[in-house]
Amino acid sequence: MNKFAFSREFRLLTPKHFDSIFQQPHTHRAGSQHLTILAGNNTVNNPRLGQTVPKKQIKLAVDRNRFKRLVRESFRLHQHSLPAKDFVVIARKSAKDLSNEELRALLHKLWQRLSQLPQKK
């Protein structure tokens, strides 16, 4: 039975973890006009999630928190189909205009695309 938890081992916690994704030359990406997801190799046996939601892109804290909450929930539900890589979700300005259902559908599509990635490169 799969566990659908989102504990510390499934999160990118330090700036060093984020920098490793941004510095990797062969980072995979999937995106739309509303957000981008970067995927890079990691050293653990499970996928991990990090998020960057700049104040400059989404001004109100309530909108940033809603976006992050929906991304976490979507990742939690799709983590078993994803390869063991680090994923960083980057929000764009237009992401705040999406309804919850539209954002869930977009994330589902992007996770499906990223689930086709090879395990290690």
Side-chain angles (χ1 to χ4, degrees), residues 24-40:
Q24 284 183 19
H26 300 298
T27 302
H28 298 278
R29 67 177 59 223
S32 71
Q33 64 186 16
H34 306 293
L35 61 98
T36 300
I37 302 176
L38 302 177

Side-chain angles (χ1 to χ4, degrees), residues 20-62:
S20 70
I21 299 300
F22 294 123
Q23 301 300 325
Q24 284 183 19
H26 300 298
T27 302
H28 298 278
R29 67 177 59 223
S32 71
Q33 64 186 16
H34 306 293
L35 61 98
T36 300
I37 302 176
L38 302 177
N41 295 330
N42 69 17
T43 57
V44 295
N45 293 327
N46 55 294
R48 297 189 299 180
L49 176 69
Q51 300 183 60
T52 58
V53 187
K55 248 189 222 187
K56 192 172 191 176
Q57 298 296 327
I58 301 179
K59 303 253 187 258
L60 298 178
V62 67

Side-chain angles (χ1 to χ4, degrees), residues 16-110:
K16 181 178 158 188
H17 292 152
F18 282 88
D19 289 342
S20 70
I21 299 300
F22 294 123
Q23 301 300 325
Q24 284 183 19
H26 300 298
T27 302
H28 298 278
R29 67 177 59 223
S32 71
Q33 64 186 16
H34 306 293
L35 61 98
T36 300
I37 302 176
L38 302 177
N41 295 330
N42 69 17
T43 57
V44 295
N45 293 327
N46 55 294
R48 297 189 299 180
L49 176 69
Q51 300 183 60
T52 58
V53 187
K55 248 189 222 187
K56 192 172 191 176
Q57 298 296 327
I58 301 179
K59 303 253 187 258
L60 298 178
V62 67
D63 293 331
R64 288 193 305 276
N65 292 338
R66 180 184 70 91
F67 178 85
K68 291 189 287 188
R69 186 176 60 249
L70 290 169
V71 170
R72 276 193 310 268
E73 180 70 8
S74 177
F75 176 80
R76 189 180 68 78
L77 295 174
H78 289 91
Q79 67 188 351
H80 301 293
S81 65
L82 294 171
K85 292 189 177 285
D86 289 340
F87 298 95
V88 176
V89 178
I90 304 168
R92 295 199 182 127
K93 236 175 223 181
S94 59
K96 72 174 174 29
D97 299 328
L98 293 174
S99 70
N100 290 354
E101 294 78 25
E102 291 170 332
L103 184 55
R104 282 188 196 107
L106 175 61
L107 287 165
H108 177 72
K109 183 175 106 177
L110 295 176

